[in-house]
Amino acid sequence: MKLFSFERRWILTVFDATFSGGVATLPWKASEMRTTQAFVTDVFRVGPPITMLGMRAAIWLVYLFTPLLAYALPVPLGMLSEERRSSALEKLSMSNIYALRELPTLFKMMGSMAYCASAEVQRAVGIERPDFRVPNWVEETERHG
Amino acid sequence: MAEPKRIPDGMQVFSMVSGQARIEDEADFVIIGSGAGGATAARVLTDAGHSVILVEEGPYVPVKERGYDVWTGFRSSWRDCGFQVAEGRLFLPIIQGMGVGGTTTMNGAICHRMKPELHAEWVRDHKLPENLSFEEFSRIYDRVDQELQIAPAPEEVLGRHNTLLRDGLEAIGFSHNPIRRNVVGCQGSSRCIQGCPTAAKQSMDQTYLPFSLRKGARLYAECRVSKIVRVNGRAGLVEAQFVSSPDRLKGPKATFRARRAVLLAASAIQTPLLLAASGIGKESGLVGQRFQCHPGISLLGEFEEPVRMWESVTQGYESTHLWTDRLKFETVSIPLDNAAARFDGYGRKLMENVERVGHLACWGVHVRSEAHGRVYRDFTGRTRIKYDMTDGDVVRLKRGLKLMAKMLFAAGAKSVSPGVHGLPKRMDHPDQMEALDQLDNSPNRYHGIASHMFGTAVMGADRKQSVVGFDGQVHEMPGLYVLDSSAFPTNLGVNPQNSIIAWSWLCTEKLA
Ligand SMILES: Cc1cc2nc3c(=O)[nH]c(=O)nc-3n(C[C@H](O)[C@H](O)[C@H](O)COP(=O)(O)OP(=O)(O)OC[C@H]3O[C@@H](n4cnc5c(N)ncnc54)[C@H](O)[C@@H]3O)c2cc1C
Ligand code: SF4
């Protein structure tokens, strides 16, 4: 399954709101990282189609409606300041409605497989892997798109 | 440019057959699934001189292709890339391996024997006969201990993550022990769920499968079985198709003819689906019913001292002190790229937690739950698992969580993140966990997983009350045997791979 480029941008915005935030040892922006970009392509290519369809619907919901659900603001997530995007996701994750609070958690789970898999993040938190190599799927995705 | 992978002699994978119109093969026994149950059957039968074909849906992943990151493992050898869930009030991830070696390649290498009390329960409630006595199981456990070199995790590789649990258990007065594991030269790299990078884990792909291949077995990987067909009233033919991993390209169709028997060991989720697709289940109505598992949840504790989970055996310490109360505690070292999903917060708050990962411990409790679920294919052909914990199961989980918080604080944790909806994100004192009692028993307050499955084709003497006999043979199809935990009458309360191995061994040695 291939995402439209705007859907790709949306998911990267959600990853940024989840995994960036001015912590000195972790200065990288999720959307600019090699692993994150490759992951978004790869997961939709090889993931189970029906789950990925659900994931696609989840991107629309989270991107378009999180500000509305969190702050009663009828604007998409990208229109909020970076800090407010994170707190909007946090607020949604505390919803009393299970299906709603699971949405940001889903992206946190996906984002962690991408962002936290990168050598720079792991090294920054003290995980030294002398034989660390770039995952095969990153190179594969970069070769084939 | 990636090197082409070296495929062991006797194994065929998608890329080797994709140009062919059809694959046909014949042997004494055709085994479906190459995990704990299937590989054991191959080991026993090839050792006795029989010809064997193994058919495995998942790919062959050589040791040197196993990555550091979890997604490399998920996309290559986890069913549905790790996205399989059971549906109920809670969406409970049901995790399974899918590849040569089955789930044994990415499991924690924990080796448990069935508890004698459980066996007694099976004798009492399910009329287990003499040929499945506890002594018979023990005879196989002893043998497997030797062959898979099962021993307690040694002190040198436990790392602080595991010894902290020991401290916590000791402090609250629970019995405890280092986990008995099937490893040789484990370096405590904490990468069991990605697949052991040094082949230290004695999973089936490193042990019984190479043994069987050396003895002449033929293994077809990336080959999905769709149906078992009768020939002269007995299971005689297995229909399959090659499907590439992870791209799902369709390859040639295949038929495998079994002269003696077809042995089904596709796991407690896929086995009932194959039985149903082969027209079995009408007599008892029990195929895919009575699904059980061990729902588990974890608790994160933050310590002042460095814990460095990644420098320890993935699962090295445990307590079965409360086994009779249906609870088991164990360490679960999860890689950062999986664990971060469990950390609190978004943005800056989350990143601060990621920064502190070196000080976190992650311990899990699993419940021998009472709930029963159901596994079936819906009209679109999709696998569905329906499952909901009972109130009693949730009450036990709460008790387990409270005890685990006590252990964490007793071991020196300065805070605990319960990850429970309705509780504070961080707690600084074990008494704060008492607030759990004020919450309702809704399972979706928790983030659980289940990786041990049982009961979807139960054994028994009465064909109206069970799917297979005490020899594993399917009542409705002579010549077809179920060699995995689908046949178990209930869940075990301990990690199941050894008991699956023992069950498969006991059934196949009679066929050998
Ligand atoms: C993360 C994790 C950690 C675990 N840790 C432990 C542990 O430490 N100790 C322990 O005792 N247990 C552990 N378990 C559970 C244990 O590994 C499994 O219970 C055990 O491997 C199941 O054995 P099995 O033979 O029934 O199935 P599997 O080992 O899962 O093998 C079944 C095989 O059949 C194949 N198959 C399925 N359908 C088809 C089809 N249609 N056609 C062809 N092939 C098919 C599958 O691809 C799979 O490879 C763990 C499980 C997980 C997920
Ligand atoms: S802890 Fe590491 S070395 Fe030991 S068995 Fe697991 S993956 Fe292999």
Side-chain angles (χ1 to χ4, degrees), chain B residues 222-237:
Chain B
E222 293 171 275
C223 187
R224 181 190 295 156
V225 172
S226 52
K227 198 174 178 184
I228 300 134
V229 181
R230 275 172 224 263
V231 177
N232 300 328
R234 288 176 62 80
L237 205 68

Side-chain angles (χ1 to χ4, degrees), chain A residues 22 25 42 45-46 108 131, chain B residues 68 71 75 247-248 343 355:
Chain A
T25 44
D42 194 55
R45 187 172 75 82
V46 305
K108 197 195 271 188
D131 56 339
Chain B
Y68 269 118
W71 179 239
R75 76 195 286 283
D247 306 277
R248 297 185 293 272
F343 297 170
E355 255 186 335

Side-chain angles (χ1 to χ4, degrees), chain B residues 352-372:
Chain B
E352 284 168 358
N353 283 321
V354 171
E355 255 186 335
R356 285 198 289 263
V357 66
H359 293 263
L360 296 182
C362 179
W363 300 345
V365 56
H366 67 68
V367 181
R368 185 182 166 218
S369 60
E370 290 169 332
H372 286 101

